[in-house]
Short mmCIF file of all heavy atoms in Angstrom, two decimals:
data_model
loop_
_atom_site.label_atom_id
_atom_site.label_comp_id
_atom_site.label_asym_id
_atom_site.label_seq_id
_atom_site.Cartn_x
_atom_site.Cartn_y
_atom_site.Cartn_z
N LEU A 18 -12.22 9.27 0.08
CA LEU A 18 -10.82 8.86 0.11
C LEU A 18 -10.35 8.53 1.51
O LEU A 18 -9.63 7.56 1.73
CB LEU A 18 -9.95 9.96 -0.50
CG LEU A 18 -8.54 9.58 -0.87
CD1 LEU A 18 -8.52 8.45 -1.90
CD2 LEU A 18 -7.81 10.78 -1.44
N PHE A 19 -10.77 9.32 2.49
CA PHE A 19 -10.32 9.12 3.87
C PHE A 19 -10.67 7.71 4.35
O PHE A 19 -9.85 7.04 4.98
CB PHE A 19 -10.95 10.16 4.80
CG PHE A 19 -10.43 10.07 6.21
CD1 PHE A 19 -9.23 10.65 6.55
CD2 PHE A 19 -11.14 9.39 7.19
CE1 PHE A 19 -8.73 10.57 7.85
CE2 PHE A 19 -10.66 9.30 8.48
CZ PHE A 19 -9.45 9.89 8.81
N ASP A 20 -11.86 7.25 4.05
CA ASP A 20 -12.29 5.92 4.48
C ASP A 20 -11.50 4.81 3.79
O ASP A 20 -11.37 3.72 4.33
CB ASP A 20 -13.79 5.73 4.22
CG ASP A 20 -14.63 6.61 5.11
OD1 ASP A 20 -14.16 7.02 6.19
OD2 ASP A 20 -15.78 6.91 4.72
N ALA A 21 -10.95 5.10 2.61
CA ALA A 21 -10.21 4.07 1.87
C ALA A 21 -8.79 3.89 2.39
O ALA A 21 -8.21 2.82 2.23
CB ALA A 21 -10.19 4.43 0.39
N PHE A 22 -8.21 4.91 3.00
CA PHE A 22 -6.84 4.82 3.50
C PHE A 22 -6.81 4.11 4.83
O PHE A 22 -7.57 4.42 5.73
CB PHE A 22 -6.20 6.21 3.65
CG PHE A 22 -5.78 6.83 2.35
CD1 PHE A 22 -6.04 8.16 2.09
CD2 PHE A 22 -5.09 6.10 1.39
CE1 PHE A 22 -5.65 8.75 0.91
CE2 PHE A 22 -4.69 6.68 0.21
CZ PHE A 22 -4.97 8.01 -0.04
N GLU A 23 -5.88 3.16 4.95
CA GLU A 23 -5.76 2.38 6.18
C GLU A 23 -4.60 2.82 7.05
O GLU A 23 -4.63 2.63 8.25
CB GLU A 23 -5.62 0.90 5.83
CG GLU A 23 -6.84 0.34 5.12
CD GLU A 23 -6.65 -1.10 4.68
OE1 GLU A 23 -5.54 -1.64 4.85
OE2 GLU A 23 -7.61 -1.67 4.17
N THR A 24 -3.56 3.42 6.47
CA THR A 24 -2.39 3.77 7.27
C THR A 24 -2.63 5.10 8.00
O THR A 24 -3.33 5.98 7.50
CB THR A 24 -1.13 3.91 6.40
OG1 THR A 24 -1.27 5.04 5.54
CG2 THR A 24 -0.88 2.65 5.59
N GLU A 25 -2.00 5.19 9.16
CA GLU A 25 -2.14 6.42 9.95
C GLU A 25 -1.54 7.61 9.22
O GLU A 25 -2.09 8.72 9.25
CB GLU A 25 -1.47 6.24 11.31
CG GLU A 25 -1.66 7.43 12.22
CD GLU A 25 -1.05 7.22 13.59
OE1 GLU A 25 -0.89 6.06 14.03
OE2 GLU A 25 -0.74 8.24 14.22
N ALA A 26 -0.43 7.40 8.54
CA ALA A 26 0.23 8.50 7.82
C ALA A 26 -0.69 9.06 6.72
O ALA A 26 -0.79 10.27 6.55
CB ALA A 26 1.55 8.03 7.23
N ALA A 27 -1.34 8.17 6.00
CA ALA A 27 -2.26 8.61 4.94
C ALA A 27 -3.45 9.34 5.52
O ALA A 27 -3.90 10.37 4.99
CB ALA A 27 -2.71 7.43 4.09
N GLN A 28 -3.99 8.85 6.63
CA GLN A 28 -5.12 9.51 7.27
C GLN A 28 -4.71 10.87 7.83
O GLN A 28 -5.48 11.83 7.78
CB GLN A 28 -5.72 8.62 8.34
CG GLN A 28 -6.44 7.42 7.75
CD GLN A 28 -6.96 6.45 8.78
OE1 GLN A 28 -6.57 6.49 9.94
NE2 GLN A 28 -7.84 5.56 8.35
N GLN A 29 -3.49 10.98 8.35
CA GLN A 29 -2.99 12.27 8.83
C GLN A 29 -2.83 13.25 7.67
O GLN A 29 -3.12 14.44 7.81
CB GLN A 29 -1.68 12.10 9.58
CG GLN A 29 -1.85 11.49 10.96
CD GLN A 29 -0.53 11.28 11.66
OE1 GLN A 29 0.54 11.46 11.10
NE2 GLN A 29 -0.61 10.88 12.93
N ALA A 30 -2.38 12.75 6.53
CA ALA A 30 -2.26 13.61 5.35
C ALA A 30 -3.64 14.09 4.90
O ALA A 30 -3.80 15.25 4.51
CB ALA A 30 -1.56 12.87 4.22
N CYS A 31 -4.65 13.22 4.99
CA CYS A 31 -6.02 13.63 4.68
C CYS A 31 -6.48 14.73 5.64
O CYS A 31 -7.11 15.71 5.22
CB CYS A 31 -6.98 12.44 4.79
SG CYS A 31 -6.95 11.32 3.39
N ALA A 32 -6.19 14.58 6.91
CA ALA A 32 -6.58 15.58 7.91
C ALA A 32 -5.87 16.90 7.65
O ALA A 32 -6.48 17.98 7.75
CB ALA A 32 -6.28 15.07 9.32
N SER A 33 -4.60 16.84 7.29
CA SER A 33 -3.85 18.05 6.97
C SER A 33 -4.45 18.73 5.74
O SER A 33 -4.62 19.96 5.71
CB SER A 33 -2.38 17.70 6.72
OG SER A 33 -1.66 18.83 6.32
N PHE A 34 -4.77 17.94 4.74
CA PHE A 34 -5.41 18.46 3.54
C PHE A 34 -6.72 19.16 3.90
O PHE A 34 -6.99 20.27 3.45
CB PHE A 34 -5.66 17.32 2.54
CG PHE A 34 -6.42 17.73 1.32
CD1 PHE A 34 -5.76 18.26 0.23
CD2 PHE A 34 -7.80 17.59 1.25
CE1 PHE A 34 -6.46 18.65 -0.90
CE2 PHE A 34 -8.51 17.98 0.13
CZ PHE A 34 -7.83 18.50 -0.95
N ALA A 35 -7.53 18.52 4.73
CA ALA A 35 -8.82 19.08 5.13
C ALA A 35 -8.65 20.42 5.85
O ALA A 35 -9.41 21.37 5.61
CB ALA A 35 -9.58 18.10 6.02
N ARG A 36 -7.64 20.51 6.72
CA ARG A 36 -7.39 21.77 7.44
C ARG A 36 -7.02 22.88 6.45
O ARG A 36 -7.48 24.02 6.58
CB ARG A 36 -6.28 21.60 8.47
CG ARG A 36 -6.74 20.96 9.77
CD ARG A 36 -5.66 21.03 10.85
NE ARG A 36 -4.44 20.31 10.52
CZ ARG A 36 -4.27 18.99 10.67
NH1 ARG A 36 -5.25 18.24 11.16
NH2 ARG A 36 -3.13 18.42 10.35
N LEU A 37 -6.19 22.57 5.49
CA LEU A 37 -5.77 23.57 4.51
C LEU A 37 -6.96 24.05 3.67
O LEU A 37 -7.11 25.25 3.42
CB LEU A 37 -4.66 23.02 3.62
CG LEU A 37 -3.32 22.79 4.32
CD1 LEU A 37 -2.40 21.93 3.48
CD2 LEU A 37 -2.67 24.13 4.66
N VAL A 38 -7.80 23.12 3.26
CA VAL A 38 -8.98 23.49 2.48
C VAL A 38 -9.93 24.32 3.33
O VAL A 38 -10.49 25.33 2.86
CB VAL A 38 -9.68 22.23 1.92
CG1 VAL A 38 -11.07 22.55 1.37
CG2 VAL A 38 -8.82 21.58 0.83
N ALA A 39 -10.11 23.94 4.59
CA ALA A 39 -11.02 24.68 5.48
C ALA A 39 -10.58 26.12 5.66
O ALA A 39 -11.42 27.01 5.85
CB ALA A 39 -11.12 23.97 6.82
N THR A 40 -9.28 26.38 5.61
CA THR A 40 -8.78 27.74 5.77
C THR A 40 -8.61 28.46 4.43
O THR A 40 -8.14 29.60 4.39
CB THR A 40 -7.43 27.76 6.52
OG1 THR A 40 -6.47 27.01 5.77
CG2 THR A 40 -7.58 27.19 7.93
N GLY A 41 -8.98 27.78 3.33
CA GLY A 41 -8.89 28.39 2.01
C GLY A 41 -7.50 28.40 1.41
O GLY A 41 -7.26 29.09 0.42
N ASP A 42 -6.60 27.63 1.96
CA ASP A 42 -5.22 27.56 1.45
C ASP A 42 -5.14 26.43 0.42
O ASP A 42 -4.49 25.40 0.64
CB ASP A 42 -4.24 27.34 2.60
CG ASP A 42 -2.80 27.59 2.19
OD1 ASP A 42 -2.53 27.73 0.98
OD2 ASP A 42 -1.95 27.65 3.10
N TYR A 43 -5.77 26.66 -0.72
CA TYR A 43 -5.87 25.61 -1.74
C TYR A 43 -4.52 25.26 -2.36
O TYR A 43 -4.29 24.10 -2.70
CB TYR A 43 -6.86 26.04 -2.83
CG TYR A 43 -8.28 26.12 -2.32
CD1 TYR A 43 -8.85 27.35 -2.00
CD2 TYR A 43 -9.04 24.98 -2.14
CE1 TYR A 43 -10.14 27.43 -1.53
CE2 TYR A 43 -10.33 25.05 -1.66
CZ TYR A 43 -10.88 26.28 -1.36
OH TYR A 43 -12.15 26.34 -0.88
N TYR A 44 -3.64 26.24 -2.50
CA TYR A 44 -2.34 25.94 -3.12
C TYR A 44 -1.56 24.94 -2.27
O TYR A 44 -1.03 23.95 -2.79
CB TYR A 44 -1.53 27.22 -3.34
CG TYR A 44 -0.27 26.94 -4.12
CD1 TYR A 44 -0.31 26.75 -5.49
CD2 TYR A 44 0.96 26.83 -3.48
CE1 TYR A 44 0.83 26.47 -6.22
CE2 TYR A 44 2.11 26.55 -4.20
CZ TYR A 44 2.04 26.37 -5.56
OH TYR A 44 3.18 26.08 -6.28
N ARG A 45 -1.48 25.16 -0.97
CA ARG A 45 -0.78 24.20 -0.11
C ARG A 45 -1.54 22.88 -0.03
O ARG A 45 -0.94 21.82 0.12
CB ARG A 45 -0.56 24.80 1.28
CG ARG A 45 0.53 25.84 1.27
CD ARG A 45 1.02 26.15 2.67
NE ARG A 45 2.10 27.09 2.62
CZ ARG A 45 2.05 28.32 3.13
NH1 ARG A 45 0.99 28.73 3.77
NH2 ARG A 45 3.08 29.12 3.02
N ALA A 46 -2.85 22.95 -0.11
CA ALA A 46 -3.64 21.71 -0.12
C ALA A 46 -3.30 20.86 -1.35
O ALA A 46 -3.26 19.63 -1.26
CB ALA A 46 -5.14 22.04 -0.10
N LEU A 47 -3.01 21.51 -2.47
CA LEU A 47 -2.62 20.76 -3.67
C LEU A 47 -1.33 19.99 -3.44
O LEU A 47 -1.20 18.84 -3.87
CB LEU A 47 -2.46 21.71 -4.86
CG LEU A 47 -3.76 22.26 -5.44
CD1 LEU A 47 -3.46 23.35 -6.46
CD2 LEU A 47 -4.60 21.16 -6.05
#
């Protein structure tokens, strides 16, 4: 999905999602 998004905002949301998943915060990642 990250490669498919072209806007910076969408890529930042992907990065935020990845950070939440990496810390095990799945509910906020949802």
Side-chain angles (χ1 to χ4, degrees):
L18 195 59
F19 185 81
D20 292 336
F22 284 136
E23 296 176 355
T24 68
E25 184 177 335
Q28 290 176 344
Q29 286 177 353
C31 282
S33 176
F34 175 86
R36 280 190 297 278
L37 291 165
V38 167
T40 61
D42 194 348
Y43 293 101
Y44 186 78
R45 286 196 177 116
L47 288 171

